[in-house]
DNA sequence: TCGGGCCTCACTATTTTTGGGGAGTGGAAT
DNA sequence: ATTCCACTCCCCAAAAATAGTGAGGCCCGA
């Protein structure tokens, strides 16, 4: 375990990650171990031990928007056992059946991870076993899993710095104010009034923010500011 | 160490955190150990071993926007040694002098942590010693520090009850489509075109979504859908 | 079977937002 | 000391979004 952690910390090439995933899977004696980057611009990257066919199928079906693991972890900080997620919707059940049919285990444990600019990723281990066995496994390995998740994400960020969409030009304080107030529903007039500036001036901020965020309109700018964590509502 | 980690994981009251900070400080034999929540809407919460006067001074001076540790970690995922940050600006140097005068060590190591909805926090250890000693310390404790940072943030989020006040009314598939496309910058015309429906129909979806989300305009609706995790961009 | 949510389309009129200019201050960094 | 950036203000015309009301078909669960 120690050795693998060390290797993971020191990994200096992306290609190693796949191998490390497999090594870790064997160390933990689980069926699958996956790191999955869910970048805010829709791009995805992953490495792990899932069947490539399943991965492609996942992408084709746009399961990202259905997968209860993703939607559930998106609002969560704690690592979570799949059993505690909401599988009640019809789409979720269909997804679950499809996943199990494709070799994904009936048990799973996922660690959400977040980086700068709203980057979001998941680290998951999955296995086929009964609840008690799985509970023992997660109980005794949760700390290592958190650390591994951390290191995987660290590597992903190291190797793909350009993957972070435009390198997040920081918004000026006024621009942050403007975006924040727009995000809580104020109209331009209200925002200008709240900030005690003319609506014309406000417009300059909104345009500047739009430009910095590479957004095509105000709504887009607010959405980006939000998903990059530049503003909080 | 193990025992403290256990206690940290199990802590069920906010008051314990202060005590755990002090215990951890003694375990690590460092001058200070601080967890600092910096939700970017200005709210702050912290617990740790800094002199309360310094904390108050920090807040009064609005050092949050100056502190190189905060601004430096904000765009970073890796834990970082303070020496590697940018202390060159005039404001940063003034801050540094002020900090050291107030008992903050000349060495420091900070772990950035992020939660859902752009939540951001820092976990920091600080000490007074020479570079070599500090390098040895950080080298041998970095994993524990990451874990502790994680658990501190976990507790901070647990104790923060004001999350998702409104029960998220589910959006219909079409409404999700509309919100998603709007969030990635499409205009109404483009969205309607993409979904192959008339713009009139689209409007009905947007209004329905606005209503369900209790939003006052489209931008607001998209912002809410995003921060409630109803859509992923 | 019946109500209810969902999907689809239409009209008119009004209000808001946007895109393109230009211009002056002050502070901070090189 | 000059340059860069943040902040503030202004005009105008075109494009987009909003408010109100309306209607028909579909599928699901009570």
């Amino acid at each position: 375990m120690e050795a693998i952690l060390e290797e993971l910390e020191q990994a200096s090439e992306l290609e190693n990650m796949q191998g490390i995933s497999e090594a870790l899977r064997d160390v933990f004696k689980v069926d699958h171990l996956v790191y999955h980057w869910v970048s805010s611009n829709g791009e995805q990257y992953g490495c792990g031990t899932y069947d490539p066919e399943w991965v492609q199928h996942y992408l084709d079906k746009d399961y990202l928007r259905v997968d209860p693991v993703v939607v559930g972890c998106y609002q969560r900080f704690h690592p979570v056992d799949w059993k505690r997620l909401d599988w009640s919707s019809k789409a979720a059940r269909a997804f679950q059946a499809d996943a199990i049919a494709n070799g994904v285990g009936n048990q799973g444990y996922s660690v959400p991870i977040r980086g700068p600019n709203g980057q979001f990723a998941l680290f998951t281990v999955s296995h086929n076993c009964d609840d008690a066995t799985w509970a023992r496994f997660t109980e005794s390995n949760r700390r290592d899993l958190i650390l591994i998740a951390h290191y995987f994400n660290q590597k992903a960020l190291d190797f793909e710095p350009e993957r972070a969409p435009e390198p997040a030009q920081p918004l000026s304080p006024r621009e942050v104010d403007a975006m924040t107030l727009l995000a809580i529903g104020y109209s331009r007039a209200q925002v200008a009034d709240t900030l005690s500036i003319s609506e014309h001036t406000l417009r300059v901020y909104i345009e500047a923010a739009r430009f910095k965020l590479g957004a095509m309109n105000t709504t887009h700018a607010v959405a980006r500011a939000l998903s990059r964590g530049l503003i909080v509502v």
Side-chain angles (χ1 to χ4, degrees), chain A:
Chain A
M1 187 64 224
E2 268 298 309
I4 300 261
L5 261 183
E6 201 69 40
E7 188 183 347
L8 183 53
E9 277 187 69
Q10 305 302 329
S12 59
E13 289 191 27
L14 197 49
E15 289 72 45
N16 296 349
M17 303 306 284
Q18 186 65 36
I20 293 177
S21 307
E22 288 161 17
L24 277 166
R25 174 196 52 186
D26 297 340
V27 169
F28 282 124
K29 297 188 177 58
V30 291
D31 290 351
H32 290 294
L33 183 144
V34 177
Y35 169 80
H36 184 193
W37 172 304
V38 200
S39 148
S40 59
N41 58 5
E43 289 175 33
Q44 298 186 47
Y45 154 78
C47 69
T49 63
Y50 280 158
D51 181 349
E53 240 174 75
W54 165 237
V55 174
Q56 193 53 51
H57 186 56
Y58 190 101
L59 296 173
D60 290 345
K61 288 267 197 168
D62 203 20
Y63 271 152
L64 193 61
R65 307 196 181 280
V66 174
D67 188 348
V69 178
V70 174
V71 296
C73 284
Y74 196 73
Q75 291 287 58
R76 202 180 298 255
F77 179 76
H78 296 60
V80 67
D81 193 295
W82 287 3
K83 275 192 293 296
R84 297 184 47 198
L85 296 167
D86 176 20
W87 298 88
S88 60
S89 86
K90 192 172 294 181
R93 294 205 164 278
F95 165 76
Q96 188 178 33
D98 202 356
I100 290 182
N102 277 274
V104 177
N106 64 336
Q107 304 285 353
Y109 188 77
S110 291
V111 186
I113 325 152
R114 289 177 180 80
N117 306 318
Q119 185 246 342
F120 176 68
L122 276 178
F123 174 72
T124 292
V125 284
S126 165
H127 195 54
N128 237 313
C129 65
D130 60 77
D131 289 2
T133 310
W134 190 243
R136 273 195 305 278
F137 171 81
T138 55
E139 173 61 23
S140 54
N141 291 107
R142 63 193 193 287
R143 285 181 202 163
D144 284 332
L145 293 175
I146 289 171
L147 277 178
I148 293 168
H150 186 94
Y151 287 128
F152 260 93
N153 204 53
Q154 195 158 304
K155 290 306 162 192
L157 285 165
D158 284 350
F159 296 147
E160 308 285 323
E162 79 280 1
R163 205 172 271 282
E166 286 99 76
Q169 288 217 33
L171 298 182
S172 80
R174 262 344 207 179
E175 287 156 4
V176 172
D177 292 343
M179 289 294 107
T180 305
L181 292 172
L182 288 173
I184 62 177
Y186 284 22
S187 73
R188 287 214 312 209
Q190 289 176 301
V191 174
D193 198 50
T194 305
L195 298 178
S196 306
I197 56 177
S198 81
E199 205 174 322
H200 310 279
T201 303
L202 171 66
R203 252 185 43 201
V204 178
Y205 297 140
I206 300 177
E207 280 180 47
R210 216 180 34 231
F211 180 73
K212 287 182 180 175
L213 294 165
M216 24 206 351
N217 56 46
T218 302
T219 300
H220 193 195
V222 170
R224 288 205 154 173
L226 265 179
S227 49
R228 293 185 191 176
L230 300 174
I231 62 174
V232 177
V233 187

